[in-house]
Amino acid sequence: MKYISIVVPVYNEQENVALFYREICKHMETTGYLFELIFVDDGSRDDTARILKKLSQQDARVRTIILARNFGHQIALTCGLDHAGGDAVITMDGDMQHPPAMLPYLIKQWENGFEIVQTIRKDTQGVSWFKAFTSRLFYKTINAISNINIDEGGSDFRLLDRKAVDTFKNFKEKARFIRGIISAMGYKRIQIEFVAPERFAGKSKFSVRKMLNFALDGITAYSRLPLRLAFYMGLLSGLLSLLLTIDVVYTKWFTTEAVPGWATIAASVLLLGGLQLMGLGIIGEYIGRIFEEVKKRPLYWVQDELKSSVGVKAKTQDTVA
Ligand code: UDP
Ligand code: MG
């Protein structure tokens, strides 16, 4: 009998996990599928891990993987996908912004033969204009300068068929932008729209710095345009300086008003210096990323794991028998 894994990365979500767990059980039970709920605790410093341990002890369907420290949402999600055994795997946030009530609809589409069921956030309630604006700007930029197409409002709330999960596991990059990977993977896919409610409790774990890193990971992973931009800017400033030289020569030879010219020199030195530094910065950004990747360090390491998928398998056999 087929079963479904639900993967949830959580970081300091002590007020949310118990309600989230109840909601998942409620909605999954209506689908008739067996399921395992895998929480990946991303190095929480509050009571999250303790609550999750208790849930795992009470309910054989709940598995908890505790990471040794905070690795970030994308890595925690990857860890969950690595450990999930289901015929389909659903990934979602644990703060109720990805409504558990949507699960039956995702699963319906999977039954209809779709291998990736992607949700699209139409709107987020209570989000700041700053976050909404930067998010739109990011998607517009990445789609304009890369050769993949990521839907604006695309979230990491999606269902993946086993085939897609196995393909995903072959993507080994450290700086990972999962939306990009999934979008480049192909497979039969469908989109479902939803409105994300406000988080049930707690604050968003994405600081401006984390968001900026995430955006840079996405752009540098899927576009080499910034590198080329440095080249084009060099070309442009070369052309400009040629024009300037012609002008200087003309003024000297054919007019009597040869200027001292220090301003022109100062300005062009500044311009060129600035462009070179910018070019170096862009190259440095990519080299830094190459350095991170070639070290081939593990993506994450686990401190503790509670319950194996035996719970689901034992139950599966009971049901079959
Ligand atoms: N999260 C995580 N590690 C982090 C940051 C966030 O596992 O370093 C989890 C968080 O607990 C939540 C999900 O990722 O379940 C989405 O994070 P959040 O709700 O803070 O992001 P937002 O919805 O504001 O974009
Ligand atoms: Mg959230």
Side-chain angles (χ1 to χ4, degrees):
M1 165 136 183
K2 290 189 169 179
Y3 78 98
I4 293 175
S5 305
I6 298 160
V7 166
V8 192
V10 281
Y11 177 50
N12 296 344
E13 302 283 7
Q14 61 181 10
E15 300 95 350
N16 292 320
V17 285
L19 171 80
F20 178 81
Y21 157 76
R22 283 198 302 275
E23 286 290 303
I24 291 291
C25 292
K26 187 170 102 195
H27 292 288
M28 280 309 290
E29 277 156 16
T30 64
T31 66
Y33 281 98
L34 291 170
F35 69 94
E36 61 174 354
L37 176 55
I38 305 180
F39 284 104
V40 183
D41 179 77
D42 189 13
S44 296
R45 278 178 300 229
D46 64 358
D47 240 4
T48 307
R50 204 183 53 79
I51 301 171
L52 293 180
K53 276 185 193 165
K54 234 169 86 193
L55 283 178
S56 310
Q57 279 156 6
Q58 285 166 3
D59 188 337
R61 299 169 299 185
V62 180
R63 282 170 77 185
T64 300
I65 300 163
I66 298 175
L67 295 179
R69 61 165 166 87
N70 179 255
F71 286 90
H73 173 251
Q74 300 282 292
I75 302 285
L77 206 61
T78 306
C79 166
L81 284 167
D82 287 344
H83 286 79
D87 300 282
V89 182
I90 296 170
T91 57
M92 63 197 293
D93 292 352
D95 59 358
M96 305 299 286
Q97 287 198 292
H98 294 163
M102 300 262 306
L103 295 184
Y105 300 99
L106 265 67
I107 293 167
K108 249 279 106 55
Q109 296 302 341
W110 177 55
E111 287 169 343
N112 289 342
F114 291 101
E115 288 148 330
I116 297 178
V117 186
Q118 173 69 54
T119 69
I120 302 289
R121 178 164 35 83
K122 267 286 113 189
D123 196 12
T124 308
Q125 287 164 2
V127 77
S128 69
W129 69 266
F130 177 74
K131 190 154 180 173
F133 171 74
T134 47
S135 160
R136 285 200 61 183
L137 183 71
F138 168 69
Y139 284 106
K140 290 251 178 316
T141 315
I142 194 162
N143 285 331
I145 69 173
S146 71
N147 45 14
I148 52 164
N149 191 22
I150 304 174
D151 300 292
E152 208 177 296
S155 66
D156 283 319
F157 179 22
R158 64 173 75 80
L159 179 148
L160 299 172
D161 182 76
R162 170 60 28 204
K163 263 185 274 178
V165 175
D166 288 341
T167 306
F168 177 82
K169 284 183 173 172
N170 289 326
F171 285 74
K172 304 284 188 209
E173 64 252 54
K174 189 165 159 30
R176 41 188 52 222
F177 180 62
I178 295 178
R179 277 157 230 190
I181 298 177
I182 301 282
S183 139
M185 252 166 46
Y187 287 117
K188 270 176 72 183
R189 57 176 68 217
I190 189 169
Q191 297 181 342
I192 303 188
E193 291 183 351
F194 77 107
V195 174
E198 276 187 60
R199 319 175 119 247
F200 177 68
K203 279 208 294 270
S204 171
K205 308 299 180 302
F206 274 85
S207 55
V208 173
R209 189 172 58 90
K210 270 193 179 175
M211 259 160 47
L212 197 67
N213 275 339
F214 183 55
L216 270 180
D217 280 351
I219 289 173
T220 49
Y222 287 97
S223 174
R224 269 172 291 179
L225 190 75
L227 282 172
R228 283 196 202 131
L229 213 62
F231 170 73
Y232 290 132
M233 279 185 322
L235 204 67
L236 191 74
S237 67
L239 280 177
L240 283 178
S241 73
L242 193 70
L243 287 181
L244 200 67
T245 317
I246 294 173
D247 179 61
V248 167
V249 170
Y250 175 82
T251 325
K252 179 134 181 81
W253 286 354
F254 301 102
T255 70
T256 49
E257 38 192 84
V259 274
W262 66 269
T264 331
I265 291 173
S268 49
V269 166
L270 272 181
L271 177 76
L272 283 177
L275 288 178
Q276 280 167 353
L277 279 179
M278 200 173 140
L280 271 180
I282 296 171
I283 294 168
E285 183 67 27
Y286 280 88
I287 293 181
R289 278 154 202 281
I290 296 170
F291 180 56
E292 286 304 317
E293 298 292 343
V294 294
K295 280 193 277 190
K296 290 228 182 307
R297 293 201 172 156
L299 276 181
Y300 57 83
W301 43 98
V302 172
Q303 176 177 322
D304 208 356
E305 192 178 345
L306 294 131
K307 280 276 158 55
S308 63
S309 60
V310 174
V312 172
K313 289 196 183 116
K315 274 199 120 173
T316 314
Q317 266 143 27
D318 286 352
T319 336
V320 174

